[in-house]
Amino acid sequence: MSTKPKVATTSLAGCFGCHMSLLDIDDRILKLIELVDFNKSPINDIKKFTDRCLVGIIEGGCSNEENVHVLQDFRKHCDVIIALGDCATMGGLPAMRNHVPLKECLEEAYLKGPTVYNPGGKVPGDAELPLILDKVYPCQEVVKVDLFLPGCPPPADTIWQALVALLNNKPLELPYELIKYD
Amino acid sequence: MKQEDKTLIQDICARFNRDRTRMMDVLIEAQRALGYLSSDVIDAIAEALAIARVEVESAASFYAFFSQKPRGKFVIRLCNDIIDKLKGVDRVASALREQLGIDFGQTTDDDLFSLEWTSCIGMCDQAPAALINDKIVTRLSSDSIREIVRSLKEHGDFSKLKLALGSGNNSHPLVRSVVDNNLLQRGAVIFAPSEPSQALGKALAMSPTEVIRSIKTSRLRGRGGAGFPTGMKWEFARNATGDARYVLCNADEGEPGTFKDRVILTEAADLMFEGMTIAGYAIGSEQGILYLRGEYAYLRAFLEDVLAQRRSKGLLGDNVGGKAGFNFDIRIQLGAGAYICGEETALISSCEGLRGDPKTRPPFPAQKGYLDMPSIVNNVETFCCVTRILDKGAGWFAAIGTTGSAGTKLFSVSGDCERPGVYELAFGVTLAELLKIVGAEDAIAVQVGGASGRMVNPSEYGKKLCFDELATGGSIMVFGPGRDVIKVARAFMEFFCEESCGYCTPCRVGNRLLKQGLERFIRGMAEPSDIEYLEQLGKTVKTMSRCGLGQTSANPVLSTLQSFRSEYERRVVKNTSGLQPSFDIVKALRDSETIVKRKSVHVGH
């Protein structure tokens, strides 16, 4: 059994862009696998936690009940939760719907939108589909979050340096270029 | 749009010389004539003033008293500040909802009544109070408001209401208001007997620079709260280059719990106008503006009359007081319900017909103010002090009060005390002495300086009220046994969330987060780290905001964290689950369950 620290990742109401940025660390990913084992993550397609993890990296906020469930599961299994990117830290683009009542959003998407073809005339409500929350919640409104890495997406170098600092128990020092987004 | 309405708008604009800087007046008059500012009205104003529609709409949408929707014949604005809440405004609100069958923000089907909430209207000593159009009603109870509404339904005429007129000039034919002065202590400066126009005569016999020197010698500091030395401000404006100079009087008394300027405007308007005239002479100005908050519109006709009398006596106009070449007049600029306009650069924006957005400083108004010209903005009370200083001498004034804070101060005292009202006391009086005078020795907390001031606990009651210890623009709110300081702080944060102009993020967003943080404490969902969170967030809002509103809006949180820390500490619950107790999944799914007509298969059922 490996004694390497374990890392889990997930994408909730995000676009997977933050995960793409994580992969942008290029060949350093080989170094990363030397440092850590990946547990539940879309990178290795492990669906369920098999062990306790040191770090849980969350992309995206919570838009539906499944997102909440997954996020709470991460909180239960991970010592340190990182909210990665603007959607996880602030809700991001999906949270633009927070200004519009949910009913109007769903009607626009499934009933009234100019390109909608929906002869049944119903908003999808199959039990297989997770229910949508009244608004998009950033992660820290649902669980306690330990670290925030803003950016849309945060650059690979930012993610890399944050992980390395965390794994080596060193203070995180990010040069200005890595955290400016204007 | 009807042609006659269009003509009406054109006439209004023509009355203000189609001057876009008089936008406030144009909008106020248009709304008065047509009920509300419809899209057509905004277009017509834009056309008449030959400006872009967006310039009109940006101003029209900024001020709380302008409406772009039709409203009832009577707009009832109930004051929701903390003192009104303590005095039972909720019962008045319930009575209104019940009797009219509408909620706040709505209008009755017969278009007779609209209900709205409004921030402090300067009647805390006679709370609960409300505005009905531009008239004031005070000391409301559920019974009295029912009777008012019943009568208005019956005859539709506010002037027919059987209301007892208030004290002093409140019963003047041009005021006829129920407001009481509650002027419970007169001091040596503002409310002492004085000979009218003596001071102006003495000032005009001096040179302008001598007048400024006299103000500097008196050590007069601004009464609005910040305490900037008045003489220095005047000197800056006098020495700045510009084709014109302006004297602005800040009567936008919006700090919750402050109502002393209202009493000056009612009982000592001449003293204030004389001070403005002296300032005009001192800095070389020909035009003064009294910026009167929209809530005090009921005083406007009376104040216009005072100005007219001064003109007829030669105290305004050409060659004021017989001084050849000194021409000075004053106009009244009415506001429209925006606390931020008490901030001097926002006040200037409003006078210029813009949204009440603060301007970036520097340049300060003394260099580049109203219409980009050197301008001074002083408080109502400051101008009154000026008059008395010129009359009785700088030395006389400087001998009153303390070394750092000369003169007297008007205190507006409200809340849990036996005798709420206005008190003129020399600077240096301790808070304990004041509490004894007003009958509030059992106070558990006192908010000094309004919402943007600080909450003081009993161990500090021995401190002096002056710029160097407990500074206040006049507001003293008293909280008695059983009151919850965190709920009071939340009420102040609600106020700042409402009044933030939204220009800068620390203030627009930070104040909301501070309010949410306080709610966690009130609902028993806070944990130890929340104390540190509030402290950090408060400091960010304080240091990163653009103007005085945001730089002081965190004070309710920061000062209660300092003076009442145990109130926070006793409410925290250690949370080891890592979940946020404030997140309510059942509530978050309720809409969805209604829309798709099924229950969640995961949660709560």
Side-chain angles (χ1 to χ4, degrees):
Chain A
M1 188 77 188
S2 160
T3 54
K4 283 191 276 183
K6 294 176 182 60
V7 174
T9 78
T10 189
S11 177
L12 306 174
C15 69
F16 269 94
C18 294
H19 274 77
M20 292 299 135
S21 195
L22 176 63
L23 296 179
D24 261 351
I25 59 177
D26 299 329
D27 57 336
R28 282 173 290 184
I29 196 143
L30 299 173
K31 214 168 177 181
L32 186 61
I33 325 181
E34 279 174 24
L35 285 171
V36 300
D37 281 339
F38 274 89
N39 201 278
K40 175 180 161 68
S41 170
I43 293 173
N44 53 19
D45 210 24
I46 296 179
K47 307 282 195 210
K48 285 193 171 145
F49 279 103
T50 56
D51 209 346
R52 183 150 190 91
C53 296
L54 175 68
V55 184
I57 298 175
I58 316 288
E59 169 187 343
C62 291
S63 180
N64 64 38
E65 55 182 337
E66 194 226 359
N67 297 152
V68 173
H69 181 74
V70 172
L71 181 57
Q72 290 176 340
D73 203 30
F74 263 71
R75 183 69 270 183
K76 209 182 293 170
H77 287 92
C78 304
D79 296 344
V80 176
I81 290 286
I82 301 178
L84 180 69
D86 284 350
C87 297
T89 54
M90 293 179 286
L93 278 183
M96 285 179 76
R97 79 161 161 98
N98 290 2
H99 301 281
V100 183
L102 181 62
K103 192 160 188 282
E104 283 178 38
C105 284
L106 292 172
E107 282 176 356
E108 182 68 15
Y110 293 108
L111 306 177
K112 295 182 179 162
T115 59
V116 169
Y117 174 73
N118 181 2
K122 277 189 184 148
V123 172
D126 193 278
E128 287 288 306
L129 299 170
L131 290 177
I132 306 280
L133 303 179
D134 58 345
K135 58 175 189 167
V136 174
Y137 293 81
C139 291
Q140 83 274 12
E141 287 188 16
V142 178
V143 301
K144 277 175 78 175
V145 172
D146 303 293
L147 295 168
F148 299 88
L149 284 179
C152 186
D157 286 339
T158 308
I159 303 172
W160 171 253
Q161 296 213 24
L163 280 177
V164 169
L166 186 62
L167 293 169
N168 293 312
N169 209 13
K170 295 245 171 70
L172 173 58
E173 281 165 14
L174 293 172
Y176 179 64
E177 291 69 33
L178 289 184
I179 47 167
K180 81 171 175 70
Y181 296 105
D182 48 0
Chain B
M1 185 180 206
K2 283 185 287 186
Q3 187 54 44
E4 60 184 86
D5 289 352
K6 208 165 185 177
T7 315
L8 196 140
I9 299 279
Q10 282 163 351
D11 290 348
I12 290 171
C13 293
R15 250 167 49 214
F16 297 103
N17 298 321
R18 296 190 186 82
D19 179 356
R20 53 114 37 244
T21 70
R22 301 298 297 274
M23 180 79 78
M24 288 297 283
D25 299 290
V26 170
L27 291 172
I28 289 168
E29 292 302 323
Q31 177 159 295
R32 181 169 302 162
L34 298 169
Y36 71 106
L37 302 170
S38 68
S39 188
D40 286 344
V41 171
I42 287 171
D43 277 332
I45 293 173
E47 195 188 318
L49 297 179
I51 54 176
R53 177 193 157 92
V54 66
E55 293 186 60
V56 185
E57 192 159 16
S58 77
S61 60
F62 184 86
Y63 298 90
F65 288 2
F66 293 142
S67 175
Q68 292 175 264
K69 289 185 305 195
R71 298 177 308 169
K73 179 178 170 191
F74 296 105
V75 181
I76 303 181
R77 292 194 176 88
L78 198 52
C79 178
N80 68 353
D81 80 42
I82 180 70
I83 301 299
D84 289 69
K85 282 179 185 158
L86 302 186
K87 303 290 175 187
V89 74
D90 287 338
R91 288 194 295 277
V92 179
S94 304
L96 277 169
R97 281 196 197 96
E98 193 184 308
Q99 199 179 6
L100 296 173
I102 55 169
D103 205 346
F104 284 75
Q106 297 178 336
T107 299
T108 53
D109 289 338
D110 59 4
D111 293 329
L112 206 50
F113 294 96
S114 296
L115 279 185
E116 285 174 20
W117 287 113
T118 191
S119 301
C120 185
I121 60 171
M123 302 289 158
C124 286
D125 56 337
Q126 40 212 301
L131 281 162
I132 300 183
N133 294 345
D134 57 3
K135 305 289 187 202
I136 307 258
V137 285
T138 60
R139 295 195 174 91
L140 294 171
S141 64
S142 45
D143 285 344
S144 71
I145 196 72
R146 276 196 200 99
E147 176 55 26
I148 289 171
V149 169
R150 196 194 58 75
S151 306
L152 289 177
K153 272 184 178 170
E154 192 179 287
H155 51 64
D157 184 354
F158 186 91
S159 65
K160 283 192 191 160
L161 293 179
K162 292 187 190 70
L163 302 170
L165 296 182
S167 55
N169 281 338
N170 288 300
S171 45
H172 187 282
L174 289 171
V175 184
R176 294 191 58 78
S177 167
V178 300
V179 176
D180 266 325
N181 289 328
N182 293 328
L183 175 53
L184 300 181
Q185 184 149 343
R186 290 164 183 268
V189 178
I190 310 286
F191 289 114
S194 63
E195 279 290 308
S197 309
Q198 289 279 323
L200 181 60
K202 287 178 188 173
L204 295 177
M206 298 156 80
S207 75
T209 43
E210 282 169 349
V211 173
I212 292 178
R213 196 177 309 138
S214 179
I215 298 299
K216 287 172 94 171
T217 311
S218 75
R219 285 187 278 112
L220 173 63
R221 295 170 68 175
R223 264 37 179 174
F228 191 83
T230 307
M232 202 191 289
K233 189 187 272 187
W234 289 15
E235 193 168 59
F236 289 151
R238 178 162 185 86
N239 293 337
T241 46
D243 298 334
R245 289 182 174 71
Y246 296 97
V247 174
L248 278 67
C249 178
N250 186 346
D252 191 60
E253 182 176 51
E255 191 64 53
T258 318
F259 43 85
K260 47 109 187 161
D261 290 346
R262 184 195 79 219
V263 179
I264 294 178
L265 292 162
T266 312
E267 299 300 329
D270 269 308
L271 200 65
M272 167 189 69
F273 287 135
E274 192 170 338
M276 289 177 72
T277 314
I278 293 167
Y281 177 68
I283 69 162
S285 163
E286 296 195 342
Q287 178 68 54
I289 299 175
L290 173 70
Y291 189 89
L292 184 67
R293 66 186 308 219
E295 289 82 348
Y296 293 171
Y298 73 100
L299 290 169
R300 185 181 182 168
F302 170 73
L303 292 169
E304 292 284 10
D305 184 59
V306 175
L307 286 174
Q309 287 181 33
R310 294 187 71 81
R311 281 184 203 108
S312 67
K313 288 179 194 156
L315 299 171
L316 286 174
D318 290 344
N319 306 318
V320 172
K323 181 84 176 178
F326 173 46
N327 308 328
F328 186 78
D329 210 329
I330 296 172
R331 77 169 168 95
I332 295 175
Q333 176 64 64
L334 203 57
Y339 166 74
I340 185 64
C341 289
E343 197 277 341
E344 61 175 5
T345 61
L347 182 148
I348 290 170
S349 295
S350 188
C351 287
E352 292 170 338
L354 305 169
R355 297 164 66 82
D357 286 331
K359 296 170 193 269
T360 306
R361 301 189 302 182
F364 290 90
Q367 279 109 42
K368 208 175 163 192
Y370 178 62
L371 304 179
D372 287 345
M373 292 298 150
S375 308
I376 56 162
V377 185
N378 283 124
N379 183 261
V380 169
E381 190 181 344
T382 312
F383 283 120
C384 293
C385 292
V386 164
T387 307
R388 298 286 288 159
I389 289 164
L390 267 294
D391 186 15
K392 304 274 282 183
W396 166 82
F397 186 85
I400 306 169
T402 69
T403 318
S405 312
T408 62
K409 183 80 195 80
L410 297 185
F411 297 104
S412 328
V413 186
S414 63
D416 298 322
C417 60
E418 284 167 34
R419 293 175 290 280
V422 173
Y423 294 79
E424 182 182 0
L425 300 165
F427 269 121
V429 63
T430 65
L431 185 52
E433 287 162 347
L434 179 63
L435 290 175
K436 193 169 176 197
I437 295 171
V438 304
E441 284 156 296
D442 61 348
I444 60 144
V446 181
Q447 180 78 13
V448 176
S452 66
R454 57 184 277 213
M455 185 79 89
V456 177
N457 73 29
S459 74
E460 296 180 283
Y461 288 177
K463 284 191 173 169
K464 290 174 178 168
L465 290 158
C466 60
F467 292 110
D468 310 313
E469 287 187 30
L470 292 173
T472 172
S475 175
I476 305 280
M477 294 166 156
V478 184
F479 300 100
R483 302 297 190 191
D484 181 346
V485 293
I486 298 188
K487 283 188 180 159
V488 173
R490 177 182 60 177
F492 290 143
M493 292 320 298
E494 280 169 359
F495 168 76
F496 285 121
C497 289
E498 178 64 29
E499 297 295 340
S500 167
C501 82
Y503 190 105
C504 70
T505 312
C507 174
R508 184 184 64 245
V509 177
N511 286 323
R512 282 183 184 275
L513 294 177
L514 284 170
K515 181 169 78 101
Q516 285 170 11
L518 291 178
E519 264 155 19
R520 283 205 293 278
F521 282 88
I522 289 166
R523 291 163 62 198
M525 291 170 169
E527 49 187 298
S529 62
D530 278 323
I531 293 181
E532 196 194 345
Y533 166 78
L534 281 182
E535 249 163 8
Q536 282 185 357
L537 181 60
K539 279 178 194 152
T540 303
V541 174
K542 197 179 178 75
T543 50
M544 305 300 282
S545 290
R546 183 163 173 258
C547 82
L549 190 152
Q551 286 156 14
T552 55
S553 63
N555 287 352
V557 176
L558 293 174
S559 78
T560 46
L561 275 170
Q562 196 187 17
S563 306
F564 292 89
R565 202 173 185 84
S566 60
E567 285 294 311
Y568 287 87
E569 283 166 350
R570 77 180 171 81
R571 292 178 203 232
V572 297
V573 186
K574 208 156 171 56
N575 170 10
T576 48
S577 73
L579 306 182
Q580 294 289 14
S582 52
F583 178 69
D584 183 351
I585 181 90
V586 176
K587 182 167 161 276
L589 287 174
R590 202 168 288 150
D591 291 351
S592 220
E593 290 178 333
T594 315
I595 296 165
V596 302
K597 299 188 187 67
R598 72 168 174 86
K599 295 286 180 191
S600 164
V601 292
H602 302 288
V603 185
H605 302 289

